[in-house]
């Protein structure tokens, strides 16, 4: 007997997952939790991203359950700081907490250079971005919706520090994951050939 996948479904093949990955807005998610085995599978997929120098610079902080409130508070504080205020208003903090409750899983992403860097910083950041893409594609393969967010509070240095990332790490935003309630969102792309120039004989 074969072992079922974490979601008890057959995962999509790679090309199908690429074509069917979608940014799924928070109101389209169900509140159902995502089990730890599935999250471990997604993080393992992220861990196999390409990276020059084999530095493995991607770093993640995962928030589920009541842990999401720690993320919400850090984001509310960062938003206040970006607006020139030392502390968020109580209603702003609660609004952020309500937003974090809309997805069962949030993941903050940063690029962490090596102590003795082999590669320029931008290559470490690109490698971490590749890790995020691996995670998003694996999520779609297992039937999960997602969104990668790079807004002001998620990229603010205070958020990274408040969540325990080292001083020399670069915040790359955050993503959320969840089961999609209802129909899977449709996507649209223009022809690939419109974006390609060929040089042949």
């Amino acid at each position: 007997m074969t072992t079922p996948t974490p979601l008890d479904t057959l995962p999509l093949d790679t090309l199908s997952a690429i074509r069917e990955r979608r940014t799924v807005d928070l109101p389209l998610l169900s509140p159902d939790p995502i089990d730890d085995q599935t999250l471990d599978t997604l993080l393992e997929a992220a861990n196999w991203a390409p990276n020059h120098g084999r530095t493995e610079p991607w770093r993640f902080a995962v928030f589920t359950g009541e842990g999401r409130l720690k993320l919400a508070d850090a984001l509310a504080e960062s938003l206040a700081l970006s607006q020139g205020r030392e502390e968020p208003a109580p209603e702003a903090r609660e609004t952020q907490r309500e937003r974090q409750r809309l997805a069962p899983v949030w993941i903050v992403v940063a690029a962490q250079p090596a102590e003795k860097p082999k590669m320029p910083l931008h290559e470490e950041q690109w490698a971490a971005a590749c890790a995020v893409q691996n995670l998003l594609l694996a999520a779609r393969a297992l039937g999960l919706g997602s969104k990668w967010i790079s807004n002001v509070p998620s990229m603010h240095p205070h958020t990274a520090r408040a969540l325990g990332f080292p001083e020399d790490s670069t915040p790359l935003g955050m993503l959320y994951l969840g089961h999609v309630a209802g129909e899977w969102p449709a996507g649209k792309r223009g022809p690939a050939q419109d974006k390609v120039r060929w040089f042949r004989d």
Side-chain angles (χ1 to χ4, degrees):
M1 185 172 68
T2 59
T3 302
T5 67
L7 296 183
D8 295 322
T9 58
L10 292 176
L12 293 179
D13 64 86
T14 302
L15 290 178
S16 294
I18 290 171
R19 289 179 63 94
E20 295 186 19
R21 184 213 56 80
R22 295 288 178 272
T23 292
V24 180
D25 293 331
L26 283 170
L28 299 179
L29 298 180
S30 79
D32 298 337
I34 300 172
D35 63 84
D36 287 349
Q37 183 183 354
T38 297
L39 294 177
D40 286 343
T41 297
L42 301 183
L43 293 166
E44 182 67 17
N47 195 44
W48 285 96
N51 62 119
H52 291 173
R54 299 180 181 176
T55 55
E56 302 178 29
W58 41 83
R59 298 292 183 273
F60 303 101
V62 183
F63 302 86
T64 64
E66 292 301 299
R68 294 172 293 177
L69 302 185
K70 181 175 179 63
L71 172 60
D73 288 344
L75 294 170
E77 292 160 6
S78 291
L79 183 59
L81 290 170
S82 71
Q83 296 170 342
R85 293 180 285 111
E86 292 188 7
E87 289 287 336
E91 59 271 19
R93 189 183 295 273
E94 185 54 36
T95 296
Q96 190 67 54
R97 287 180 164 210
E98 290 174 2
R99 178 174 173 79
Q100 255 58 65
R101 290 187 180 103
L102 293 175
V105 177
W106 293 78
I107 302 176
V108 174
V109 186
Q112 176 64 46
E115 288 186 15
K116 296 181 179 180
K118 304 177 184 178
M119 312 304 300
L121 180 59
H122 70 268
E123 295 227 19
E124 304 288 51
Q125 295 168 347
W126 294 348
C130 287
V132 172
Q133 179 72 343
N134 275 13
L135 195 157
L136 296 177
L137 293 177
R140 177 59 193 102
L142 295 177
L144 295 171
S146 62
K147 184 176 183 177
W148 186 3
I149 299 168
S150 54
N151 58 12
V152 170
S154 69
M155 300 286 286
H156 198 283
H158 171 78
T159 299
R161 303 298 88 82
L163 300 178
F165 290 97
E167 289 286 337
D168 59 345
S169 65
T170 303
L172 296 180
M174 61 187 175
L175 53 132
Y176 59 71
L177 302 167
H179 300 274
V180 177
E183 294 293 324
W184 190 262
K188 185 178 181 181
R189 290 287 188 275
Q193 290 298 328
D194 291 351
K195 301 145 190 165
V196 179
R197 289 185 297 157
W198 292 88
F199 296 86
R200 293 192 172 107
D201 295 342

